[in-house]
Each structure stands twice: as C-alpha cells, then as structure tokens.
C-alpha cells in the first residue's frame, strides 16, 4: 500500500511513541464514567451509616467501613446527598460561594456522589474550582533530589540550588538503601544553604523513614500509600487503620506527613474491581480524610501512564486533585513521573494544576537531570528551569520557582558542598576532597562527579545510625566548622518539631521559619481581585529573567 507522506510524518512525531488503549471497563481501564461505578446513596440510622452507595453495612469491605465511620459527616450527609450533581458542581464554579460552604457540603458526600459531581464538569470548570478550593492561598512546589551514584556531595549541591530556586519542599530517595542516612544528611545541609526553612524528606521503607525523622534529619514524609480496593491493601499487609496508626506515629513526633495515592494504582496492581479509576481514587482521598492526615500526594503519581493511555485520563487526574481540596486536605498534585514523549502533552498535563495553582504544583519536579532521578524520571527536570520560569512570566502565574543568576547558583552549590565536607570531617565520616567540592559546584549531574569509595561510605552511613547521630549533632558540627548561619538554620528547623505548627494543613516555612499554612494563609478566592495575587516584589522576581534584553544594555 502506498503511504501518505503526511501520515508517515505524523507517525514519526514523539506523541506516537506513547501508548494508548481503548476503554475496557471490566478491568478498570476507564478513567471516569464507568458503567460499573455505584449509584450514589446513603442511609443513616441512629447517627450511623447503614447503607452507602447501594451497599448495606453488613456487606461493607474494610474501606467502606472506614469511610462510613470516619470520613462522612453524618450530621450533614442526608442534606448534601439530596442535592443535585449539577447543583453542587455549580457551587464549585460560582465565585459568590465560599470555599467553607463547599467544604461543608462535601463532608457529607459518598465516593459515588463525588464522582457523579465531577462527571458533570469539564477541565476548565475543574480548574476554576481548584483555584477556589486550594487550602493555602499561596501556591508552592516540591522537587526530587537524587542521583544514580547516591553521591552525597552532589546531593547537597543540588539541594542548595533547588531551594534557592524556590522549592519549599524537597524529596530524596536512594539507589542503594543503606545510603539513606547520607542522602538525608546531604539534603538537610543543602536545603538550609539555599533557603532557610526548606523542608526535606527521604522516601524509604517506613521504619527507616520514621527513624530519620525522629532524629531530626528529615522534616516530613509523604510515601505512605493508600489504595481504593481491599485486595490491594491486603497485598501490602496494610489496612486503613494501620495507615492511620502510622500517620499518628509521625505526627506525634512533630513530623509533617501526608498520604500518597493516585488514579490507576488499582488497575496496575490487578484489583480494580471493574470500577473507574477516579471512583477508586476518591475512596483513597476519603480514607486520607478519615485518618486525620493533613494532606495527600496524588495526581496518579507513578501510575500516570495508566490514566494517560485512556480517554479523559488527564481530566481524571485533575479531578482527583480537586477532590482532595474539596475534602479540605493539602494537595501535592504530582506532575512528577514522566509519562509521554511529547513536550506538548507533558506541558498540557501540568497546566491543569499550574494555572489554578495547588499547594504543591509538582510533588516531584526533578531538581537533577532525569538520568539521575531515582524516582523513575520526572515530567520536568533541571533542563526545563528556563521554560518553567518563562511560562510563569508569560502568563503572570506563580509556579513556585524563581529565576537564578549563574554566579549565585555556583556560589550556593559551592557553599553547600563545603559545609557537607566540614560536617563529614567533624563527624569522622569518609573524607570529601576539594576535587569533589569543585566538581559538585559546577556539575550538571553525576556523570561529572569523581567516584567515591562506596564501601567506606556505606559503612559510615550505618555508623551514623548506630551512633545515634541527630540533627543536634549536625548543628554542633556546622557551628564548630564555622558555618554558624547554617547551624542556626538547622536548629530553627528542629525547633518546629516542638511547636508542631507545621502539622497544619498545607504548611510550609518561609525564610524566617514562620509557618505559612491554611490556618494563617487561608485561600479566600471569590473571583477577580481576590485570593492569591502576587506582590510587586514577587512579580518583579518572576519577570527578571537573564534572557531579557534591557534598555540599559544599549547606548541610546
């Protein structure tokens, strides 16, 4: 068959390297509007939910039971459930209806009813709602800092650059599990070098993650996963109650934490029960609310390839982010794992959260080149900094980042590497050479770094745990080495564990270690001229990109 040259050219486009599938409701390969989703209903007797979405209480699985007992406000449920789907949707986009009024309505809705409301809305309407429903007024951003070699010097330098560029939270993980204490230590020092008050986490199995947090090396966690079907929970030896107990363990030690979930997880694990991805995800969000956790990382996250392959999948991702805010939770709205070969698709997917703003637009913008990203690669990485900053400038939106001058980046990377070098020396860890400091100062990624003695590093990382080294030891080492400002920064971060104020919904710290959260910076959007409006100072920061010509550069 003779081919059309136009179709040959189209087939060579990057988007056609992506995978797409026809909807298959029986196995859950449908993003929204599955014919198998339950019909919304609720029955309450003596202050107790006895039927929910067509299922009587004696037939509840443990997710149904947890949601019915802890996530639904029975005092408003019958009134909320009696409202029409479109009626509730119109409240969401009506600028004359406050966020608080809508939160009260959604406290009484079942998962099926929430999905029915979302099925009436297009993406523009969802974005309008998200702008109003975000818990904290000011949007923010989070990044990944990792590398394939677990090189601690590079992690410190990359963390310093990322925090200086505006990320309020930073997450690391490891290539080799036993490197975790060193990665966390590097992030702590680097984060406080780039900007005072930056929060960091180390994503690991929960026992080590909690231990690092209790010692004051990390400040928050978000990798505690919840799922929308009972079989997936059982596979992980978990229940909603065990997850809630774990959440309380973090919170009682002054550690900020949120759960993680995302559309497509149950399909990927083979237990979707024929329901839509969004319906199962709404159950996850309701579990999170019922557990009393301050927030949720969702937006499909590492399962993004699944909803992205079916019709309306990216719309469903936006819908799950919106649902999180409607249930009055902090949302870290993903935009992290790569899912497409198309620059157009990855940008379109991000604009759903970037334009209205979320608490954390990305829950994993890669603050390293993607070849170094141990979270399987991100939708955005360091090579996209200029694109992101120019998008902010083009549209006058706050995406949480700021332009940075080359000389400032070099200086902050060097300081972080030198500070880590000094802490290693003071704590008796393997030497960080001046050659390594120099390489990390100017490196693009781990390919530019000299190799370290991995065996000695791993021994020392284990020693760090066995010696019981804490954040206070880091403070002392920094102070003794002459990095008094960084010592004070780490100490101020540790003080937050005592006050517990950053356990509030959507909490971050500003550069003076003041908590900014949904309590003292509540989103009050009610239409044009209200809600978050960037200050002149912030707008000037966003406008000032190095690529822009300035009249003063020319003789006139």
């Amino acid at each position: 068959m003779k081919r059309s040259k136009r179709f040959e050219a189209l087939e060579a486009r990057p988007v056609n390297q992506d995978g797409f599938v026809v909807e298959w409701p029986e196995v859950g390969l449908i993003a929204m509007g599955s014919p198998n989703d339950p019909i919304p209903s609720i029955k309450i007797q003596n202050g107790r939910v006895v039927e929910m979405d067509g299922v009587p209480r004696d037939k509840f699985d443990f997710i149904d039971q947890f949601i019915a007992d802890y996530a639904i406000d029975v005092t408003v449920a019958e009134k909320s459930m009696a409202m029409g789907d479109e009626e509730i949707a119109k409240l969401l986009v009506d600028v004359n209806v406050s966020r608080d009024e809508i939160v009260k309505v959604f406290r009484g809705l079942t998962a099926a009813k929430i999905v029915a409301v979302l099925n009436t809305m297009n993406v523009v309407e969802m974005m309008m709602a998200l702008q109003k429903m975000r818990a904290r007024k000011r949007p923010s951003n989070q990044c990944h800092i990792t590398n394939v070699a677990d090189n601690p010097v590079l992690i410190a330098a990359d963390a310093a650059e990322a925090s200086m560029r505006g990320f309020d939270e930073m997450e690391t993980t490891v290539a080799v599990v036993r490197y975790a204490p060193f990665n966390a230590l590097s992030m702590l020092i680097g984060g406080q070098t780039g900007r005072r008050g930056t929060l960091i986490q180390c994503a690991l199995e929960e026992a080590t993650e909690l231990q690092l947090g209790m010692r004051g090396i990390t400040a928050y966690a978000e990798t505690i996963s919840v799922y929308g079907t009972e079989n997936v929970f059982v596979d992980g030896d978990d229940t909603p109650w065990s997850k809630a107990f774990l959440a309380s363990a973090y919170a009682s030690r002054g550690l900020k934490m949120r759960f993680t979930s995302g559309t497509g997880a149950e399909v990927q694990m083979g237990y979707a029960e024929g329901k839509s991805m969004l319906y199962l995800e709404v159950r996850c969000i309701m579990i999170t609310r019922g557990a009393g956790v301050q927030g949720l990382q969702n937006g499909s996250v590492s399962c993004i390839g699944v909803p992205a392959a079916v019709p309306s999948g990216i719309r469903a991702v936006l819908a799950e982010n919106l649902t999180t805010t409607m249930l009055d939770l902090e949302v870290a709205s993903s935009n992290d794992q790569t899912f497409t070969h198309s620059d157009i698709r990855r940008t379109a997917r991000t604009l759903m959260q970037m334009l209205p703003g979320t608490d954390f637009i990305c829950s994993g913008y890669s603050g390293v080149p993607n070849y170094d990203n141990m979270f399987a690669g991100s939708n955005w990485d360091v090579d996209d900094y200029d694109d992101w900053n120019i998008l902010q400038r083009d549209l006058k939106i706050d995406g949480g980042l700021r332009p940075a001058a080359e000389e400032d980046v070099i200086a902050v990377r060097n300081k972080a590497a030198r500070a880590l070098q000094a802490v290693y020396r003071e704590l008796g860890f393997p030497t960080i050479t001046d050659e390594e400091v120099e390489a990390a100062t100017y490196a693009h990624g781990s390919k530019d770094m000299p190799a370290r003695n991995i065996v000695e590093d791993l021994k020392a990382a284990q020693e760090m745990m066995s010696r019981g080294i804490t954040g206070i030891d880091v403070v002392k080492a920094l102070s003794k080495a002459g990095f008094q400002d960084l010592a004070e920064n780490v100490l101020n971060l540790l003080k937050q564990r005592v006050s517990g104020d950053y356990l509030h919904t959507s909490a971050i710290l500003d550069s003076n270690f003041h908590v900014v959260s949904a309590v003292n910076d509540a989103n009050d959007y009610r239409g044009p001229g209200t809600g978050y409006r960037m200050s002149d100072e912030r707008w000037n920061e966003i406008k000032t990109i190095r690529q822009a010509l300035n009249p003063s550069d020319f003789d006139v």
Side-chain angles (χ1 to χ4, degrees):
M1 177 181 172
K2 188 173 181 178
R3 298 293 311 278
S4 160
K5 294 189 181 300
R6 183 163 292 173
F7 273 81
E8 287 179 340
L10 283 172
E11 288 176 6
R13 293 282 294 171
V15 72
N16 286 313
Q17 297 178 54
D18 294 353
F20 304 98
V21 296
V22 174
E23 289 176 330
W24 188 2
E26 291 76 15
V27 299
L29 272 172
I30 183 168
M32 299 176 68
S34 172
N36 301 322
D37 284 351
I39 303 300
S41 70
I42 199 162
K43 289 183 181 177
I44 298 170
Q45 291 178 0
N46 300 320
R48 191 183 193 209
V49 176
V50 296
E51 180 187 307
M52 184 172 66
D53 295 337
V55 180
R57 190 174 186 94
D58 61 359
K59 296 293 178 63
F60 281 179
D61 63 17
F62 64 43
I63 296 176
D64 293 326
Q65 184 181 338
F66 191 87
I67 289 172
D69 290 348
Y70 302 110
I72 292 179
D73 185 345
V74 294
T75 65
V76 299
E78 290 176 325
K79 181 178 178 182
S80 293
M81 290 291 290
M83 297 175 69
D85 302 340
E86 290 185 1
E87 179 187 2
I88 297 173
K90 287 176 180 177
L91 296 179
L92 283 166
V93 299
D94 187 344
V95 297
N96 299 303
V97 179
S98 72
R99 180 182 187 277
D100 287 346
E101 293 174 72
I102 293 170
V103 166
K104 288 176 184 175
V105 170
F106 274 83
R107 283 179 179 155
L109 300 184
T110 66
K113 183 67 171 181
I114 291 172
V115 170
V117 171
L118 293 167
N119 282 335
T120 71
M121 303 177 72
N122 63 36
V123 294
V124 176
E125 290 158 350
M126 289 183 194
M127 290 165 70
M128 290 169 63
L130 187 57
Q131 182 172 218
K132 177 167 71 175
M133 296 309 298
R134 179 178 73 246
R136 188 183 61 239
K137 183 185 292 190
R138 178 167 77 84
S140 184
N141 223 325
Q142 177 184 268
C143 69
H144 291 157
I145 302 293
T146 67
N147 63 70
V148 295
D150 287 325
N151 186 295
V153 197
L154 183 59
I155 286 176
D158 285 337
E161 177 179 350
S163 57
M164 188 188 74
R165 286 184 177 273
F167 292 104
D168 290 312
E169 290 188 351
M170 300 189 297
E171 175 185 18
T172 190
T173 192
V174 291
V176 178
V177 172
R178 287 185 295 158
Y179 250 119
F182 274 7
N183 283 23
L185 176 62
S186 295
M187 285 276 283
L188 175 63
I189 292 170
Q192 295 311 308
T193 305
R195 185 190 73 81
R196 292 152 42 100
T198 304
L199 301 177
I200 66 116
Q201 68 157 313
C202 188
L204 305 156
E205 51 81 24
E206 276 119 350
T208 305
E209 190 167 349
L210 183 55
Q211 190 175 24
L212 285 169
M214 289 169 64
R215 292 188 181 190
I217 307 298
T218 58
Y220 75 104
E222 69 174 356
T223 52
I224 293 80
S225 297
V226 289
Y227 303 100
T229 62
E230 188 174 271
N231 279 331
V232 180
F233 260 118
V234 171
D235 262 12
D237 296 323
D238 285 309
T239 70
W241 289 269
S242 66
K243 292 295 188 180
F245 179 81
L246 181 61
S248 70
Y250 280 95
S252 65
R253 271 75 177 175
L255 277 161
K256 173 183 176 178
M257 70 87 61
R258 49 183 175 255
F259 282 167
T260 292
S261 61
T263 50
E266 297 81 13
V267 181
Q268 195 159 295
M269 298 176 79
Y271 292 117
E273 300 178 355
K275 305 297 194 300
S276 72
M277 299 179 204
L278 181 61
Y279 169 73
L280 297 181
E281 173 57 18
V282 170
R283 280 159 63 91
C284 296
I285 301 166
M286 296 186 78
I287 290 168
T288 304
R289 182 182 182 277
V293 178
Q294 70 196 76
L296 184 69
Q297 173 189 216
N298 75 351
S300 196
V301 199
S302 56
C303 303
I304 184 65
V306 180
V310 299
S312 205
I314 300 304
R315 173 175 167 241
V317 168
L318 173 60
E320 64 176 291
N321 294 149
L322 173 59
T323 302
T324 307
T325 67
M326 295 187 300
L327 293 180
D328 204 21
L329 298 168
E330 164 183 314
V331 62
S333 55
S334 189
N335 283 305
D336 49 11
Q337 185 161 310
T338 183
F339 74 101
T340 178
H341 294 84
S342 166
D343 283 342
I344 296 173
R345 274 192 97 198
R346 72 184 178 101
T347 304
R349 181 259 184 275
T350 301
L351 289 177
M352 301 297 100
Q353 293 76 28
M354 189 179 184
L355 293 179
T358 62
D359 293 310
F360 300 95
I361 296 164
C362 297
S363 53
Y365 186 119
S366 186
V368 299
N370 259 337
Y371 73 76
D372 265 334
N373 191 311
M374 299 309 298
F375 289 98
S378 178
N379 204 33
W380 300 85
D381 78 350
V382 289
D383 296 336
D384 299 313
Y385 278 144
D386 287 347
D387 295 84
W388 188 280
N389 285 322
I390 289 169
L391 278 174
Q392 293 182 129
R393 186 178 189 264
D394 285 344
L395 303 175
K396 197 178 182 181
I397 53 174
D398 193 337
L401 301 192
R402 62 176 67 93
E406 183 176 1
E407 59 271 23
D408 295 336
V409 168
I410 289 171
V412 79
R413 291 178 67 91
N414 181 261
K415 181 176 180 179
R418 286 188 294 106
L420 187 69
Q421 180 187 45
V423 168
Y424 269 43
R425 183 174 61 247
E426 296 297 332
L427 295 178
F429 295 156
T431 300
I432 293 174
T433 65
D434 290 342
E435 177 193 9
E436 290 176 280
V437 170
E438 179 78 359
T441 299
Y442 297 95
H444 179 256
S446 62
K447 295 176 182 178
D448 305 312
M449 294 296 296
R452 286 185 60 78
N453 187 323
I454 295 175
V455 173
E456 292 303 312
D457 272 353
L458 291 177
K459 286 180 182 177
Q462 181 58 48
E463 181 191 347
M464 176 177 164
M465 299 305 285
S466 61
R467 284 167 54 188
I469 288 173
T470 69
I472 293 297
D473 296 307
V474 178
V475 172
K476 292 177 180 177
L478 286 166
S479 180
K480 187 176 178 182
F483 291 91
Q484 191 62 37
D485 57 336
L486 300 188
E488 290 176 2
N489 291 351
V490 175
L491 181 60
N492 281 323
L493 188 61
L494 292 173
K495 289 178 181 178
Q496 292 298 324
R497 309 291 283 280
V498 180
S499 72
D501 287 346
Y502 79 152
L503 301 185
H504 294 309
T505 302
S506 305
I508 54 176
L509 300 177
D510 68 16
S511 58
N512 293 312
F513 293 93
H514 296 147
V515 173
V516 181
S517 74
V519 173
N520 64 356
D521 188 41
N523 186 8
D524 57 356
Y525 179 78
R526 295 290 292 271
T530 66
Y532 177 72
R533 304 286 156 167
M534 67 177 79
S535 65
D536 289 343
E537 180 185 17
R538 176 65 174 140
W539 178 223
N540 286 331
E541 187 176 59
I542 287 174
K543 286 192 293 186
T544 309
I545 57 172
R546 68 181 190 283
Q547 302 93 327
L549 298 177
N550 193 313
S552 63
D553 296 334
F554 302 93
D555 293 328
V556 241

